[in-house]
Amino acid sequence: MGKENPLKGWQVDRASIGFVGADLQRPECIIAQPDGTLWSADARGGVMRIGSDGSQRLLAPQQSVGEDISFEQRYVQSQGVSLPNGLALTAEGDFIICNWGMDRIERLDRQGRLHVLHDNLDGKPLGKTNFPLLDSKGRIWFTVTTTMQPWTDSINSGVLDGYIGVIDEQGLRIVAEGFGGTNEIRFDDNEEWLYVVESNARRISRLRLQADGSLTDREVYGPSQLEGFPDGFAFDSFGNLWVTLVMSDKLIAITPEGEVLTLLDDGNPQATATLNQHYAAKTLTPEIMAAARGSLAPWMASLTFGGPDLQTVYLGSLQGNRIPWFRSPVAGQRLIHWHS
């Protein structure tokens, strides 16, 4: 007999949820360090450092930022405005940023200096860069959700133009393509499989990593279609894959057996039902998407295990201004890079 899954029958107690951070802007992705420091993507063009004592410091190049950017400009068009999305922390302590608004991959150092790593491939725009991931060999893996503008058109069209790329000593290249809204990516413990969120297709896929960096044996992991748009995900030490569903604002887990458990439902049932009806009919509009959101982490996005025991869960969001956290009954997967 195997061990009992600690998530079976467990749900987040809403009364136990705490918050950290204040006046954040689009805290989509969060990096949690063992000493309690959090780093959050920030729509002012950089990363917000939140100390264990609650102090905040924005790490970003000096720039003029319009506070009155509309929902349409920021979330639908998302062009020509700096919107740091996914983050990765290098061994040197710098940040690799996929900038959703600028369609590029950046490196930000601890002095707030920004260096553009890549903004095109063979002279063509990269598209909506979403999430970077470092492996044990120091390679940078990244996703591009779509090359359509505005990106929201890619949902109704059903286009599979998302891709995964890698940056190594040979430069930048595409290693897998044909995804429906490529979002976050994660390796398993042994770097044997690369797991991929396909937001528009509402599924999780995985590919086997080969020694030369190529990806093969693509397959769907878990249900062929989830009940909402997956966005962020992370493994726990038991092998459950925690997944956020953006807009319907639900947190689920896919067990090693493929069962789906609901851990937290913060959505608006009526707005979620409308969202799902229009998704099925391919008639989604930015207005319908904007109406679907919860209150804890509006447009729930990333998911990060932190704390010294990796049992504190932090939720990122696209429309929130603070970060909810709660305690998990199981620790998160220990990531490759842990730097103070």
Side-chain angles (χ1 to χ4, degrees), residues 45-263:
V47 179
M48 180 69 79
R49 180 189 186 275
I50 306 172
S52 55
D53 60 354
S55 61
Q56 294 184 187
R57 178 170 59 87
L58 182 65
L59 196 63
Q62 287 295 115
Q63 59 175 330
S64 58
V65 178
E67 295 290 334
D68 56 348
I69 297 174
S70 69
F71 179 91
E72 174 83 13
Q73 285 174 295
R74 175 165 285 184
Y75 297 101
V76 182
Q77 298 299 332
S78 300
Q79 287 177 268
V81 54
S82 183
L83 290 176
N85 203 71
L87 306 176
L89 186 58
T90 71
E92 298 78 29
D94 295 345
F95 295 93
I96 305 299
I97 299 173
C98 279
N99 196 313
W100 177 265
M102 304 298 286
D103 298 358
R104 67 192 188 191
I105 302 168
E106 305 166 339
R107 187 179 187 116
L108 178 71
D109 69 18
R110 291 294 174 98
Q111 285 70 50
R113 293 178 298 222
L114 194 69
H115 174 60
V116 177
L117 295 180
H118 295 279
D119 59 7
N120 72 89
L121 178 59
D122 299 330
K124 293 180 184 173
L126 288 178
K128 285 288 161 209
T129 55
N130 190 305
F131 190 80
L133 178 69
L134 288 169
D135 68 13
S136 59
K137 294 180 175 165
R139 293 177 294 199
I140 302 169
W141 301 80
F142 68 92
T143 61
V144 169
T145 299
T146 180
T147 55
M148 290 188 79
Q149 295 284 9
W151 70 271
T152 45
D153 288 353
S154 68
I155 303 175
N156 290 333
S157 72
V159 67
L160 300 176
D161 67 343
Y163 64 86
I164 300 170
V166 69
I167 303 168
D168 57 15
E169 65 278 356
Q170 301 168 46
L172 180 149
R173 66 186 186 281
I174 295 173
V175 286
E177 49 195 336
F179 297 96
T182 338
N183 205 309
E184 290 197 10
I185 47 177
R186 303 276 182 195
F187 283 110
D188 60 10
D189 274 336
N190 302 319
E191 288 190 358
E192 181 184 1
W193 291 93
L194 181 67
Y195 290 75
V196 186
V197 169
E198 294 188 71
S199 294
N200 296 355
R202 293 189 164 192
R203 67 188 173 211
I204 309 295
S205 295
R206 68 176 187 173
L207 302 96
R208 194 184 298 275
L209 176 62
Q210 302 297 333
D212 63 356
S214 61
L215 298 171
T216 62
D217 303 331
R218 179 177 167 181
E219 62 185 31
V220 173
Y221 182 80
S224 58
Q225 189 171 99
L226 299 167
E227 60 180 292
F229 296 100
D231 191 305
F233 67 161
F235 278 104
D236 66 28
S237 56
F238 191 86
N240 300 300
L241 186 59
W242 296 47
V243 184
T244 62
L245 302 179
V246 67
M247 291 180 276
S248 49
D249 284 6
K250 186 177 278 195
L251 176 63
I252 62 172
I254 303 172
T255 70
E257 297 75 36
E259 182 184 355
V260 176
L261 308 174
T262 297
L263 306 180

